[in-house]
Amino acid sequence: MKDDRPLERALARVLSPRLGHAPSRWPETLYLHVRERAQRAGLGEAEYVERAGQAGEAASLAMLLDAATIGHTAAYRHPEQFERLGRVLADLAPRRPGPLRLWCAGCSTGEEAYSAAACAEAAGVDAAVLGTDVNPVAIAVARSGLLPQRRSVGAPLPAPWVERVPEALRRRVRFEVASLTDAQPALGAGPFDVILCRNVLLYFERDQVPRLLGRLAAELVPGGHIVLSPAEGILPLPPELRRGPAPGWLQRPEGDAVEPASPRAQAEEGPASTGAGAAAREPGAEAAARLLGAGRADEAEQVLAALLNADPEHLEGWFLLGEALLARGERAQARAAFQRVLRCSAAGARHVDAGALRRAAARRAEALRDPR
Ligand SMILES: C[S@@+](CC[C@H](N)C(=O)[O-])C[C@H]1O[C@@H](n2cnc3c(N)ncnc32)[C@H](O)[C@@H]1O
């Protein structure tokens, strides 16, 4: 239910058109930021927010967006995806004239874009990377190349930088402020061979996702790849895209003809693929996926424990629990959760692609066979 207090109304009016999403509760950092700034300016909180949304207040709006978004990121986040990215780039490069083009949509402070450039370099591939984010403060940090080293455990390559991104890497990456909701979210820089859009779509309503992914797909070359985070691999897809070989990995088929999704896949995907109201039906899974995307695996685990307690056959819940445990380094428990997905009945997957989820869970359980 929408909150009708003046501050909530002002936040929704000023921020939601830019972000494309309106959470039921904004991050605590945003409320603290608004309180402090409004006091300093001698304004009411809602009045401060409305003013920040007016023309000529770009700096105040940028700071509001910074406080309203969750920019958690790290170099080589989801390391197994960077391993695969290196192989995919090496495979694509001989078949494309000129440098490969990559786009990190929702790149936060740039770690993902610089990691992608480092990955291309290690694969001996010429690549140009565009990083975009709706948060102008994050983009300013990304452009500065001054990044404290936060690196994912298990990263496939040596750290690409320590405190300052090397000049050679910086030359391969360009950063711009843009929202996924803009008329030209990729600023006319496409078409791209690979688009990374990881831990971003989690913040949107489930029924917005196919349209957003359709817009990303329109920026891809035929045969190009879109990479979501592994936990986002269960989101509903538009007809232009197919699920790829790993969780979160999507592909636009070669050739212009777009096949409609098979009736079986549609049946498996259930009502979520047609949109309306899916998020409202799965609030636990939705909230857990969002927490996971924000790097809050402990909290995600708590939400999932409650969800699975109430519904022990919740296929998506077990898969997300596997992801949360993996994020916390609990490999043996994560494997058990992925194996549990395989034992759930398909009736437990009312709003997701049960087949894709099972295949992803089987692969993950297999990869975790020797828990370290
Ligand atoms: C959790 S971070 C993910 C960063 C990086 N992709 C990763 O996986 O490490 C989510 C990012 O999405 C950005 N974001 C949220 N809504 C957006 C929108 N409508 N357009 C572009 N970026 C958006 C946020 O500003 C934030 O930097």
Side-chain angles (χ1 to χ4, degrees), residues 104-351:
C104 292
C107 65
S108 188
T109 41
E111 283 84 341
E112 183 181 61
Y114 287 126
S115 300
C119 201
E121 200 164 74
V125 168
D126 191 12
V129 184
L130 170 70
T132 60
D133 200 284
V134 70
N135 176 0
V137 178
I139 290 296
V141 174
R143 281 184 183 144
S144 78
L146 294 171
L147 299 173
Q149 195 193 92
R150 274 194 314 267
R151 186 160 179 267
S152 287
V153 177
L157 294 166
W161 65 86
V162 180
E163 289 296 330
R164 176 187 286 272
V165 179
E167 207 39 52
L169 212 53
R170 289 183 65 186
R171 274 199 297 272
R172 290 177 182 272
V173 188
R174 175 166 75 92
F175 290 103
E176 302 291 344
V177 176
S179 174
L180 287 179
T181 60
D182 288 347
Q184 274 210 313
L187 310 156
F192 299 94
D193 298 284
V194 179
I195 300 174
L196 296 145
C197 184
R198 305 180 315 154
N199 306 296
V200 181
L201 296 178
L202 292 164
Y203 299 103
F204 290 82
E205 294 299 331
R206 202 178 169 93
D207 57 356
Q208 293 177 280
V209 170
R211 199 178 58 81
L212 288 164
L213 277 174
R215 295 184 72 198
L216 295 184
E219 300 283 353
L220 270 185
V221 298
H225 303 249
I226 293 182
V227 189
L228 310 178
S229 73
E232 290 167 312
I234 51 183
L235 291 173
L237 303 187
E240 303 90 300
L241 292 172
R242 291 283 166 274
R243 293 188 204 277
W249 206 281
L250 311 177
Q251 263 180 297
R252 180 179 159 188
E254 299 266 7
D256 291 335
V258 171
E259 308 159 34
S262 74
R264 182 160 173 267
Q266 279 176 0
E268 274 181 337
E269 265 183 33
S273 58
T274 53
R281 285 193 294 271
E282 296 285 306
E286 201 71 25
R290 282 169 204 240
L291 287 166
L292 260 177
R296 291 154 66 187
D298 288 357
E299 290 163 71
E301 198 183 328
Q302 282 172 25
V303 171
L304 290 164
L307 179 72
L308 292 167
N309 214 7
D311 180 2
E313 290 297 308
H314 201 294
L315 216 104
E316 188 182 2
W318 284 109
F319 185 86
L320 290 169
L321 183 64
E323 290 286 318
L325 290 164
L326 201 54
R328 297 208 296 103
E330 302 282 357
R331 295 169 59 89
Q333 288 185 46
R335 180 164 187 256
F338 288 125
Q339 285 174 324
R340 188 69 175 76
V341 172
L342 306 176
R343 293 202 301 276
C344 283
S345 83
R350 289 171 298 278
H351 308 300

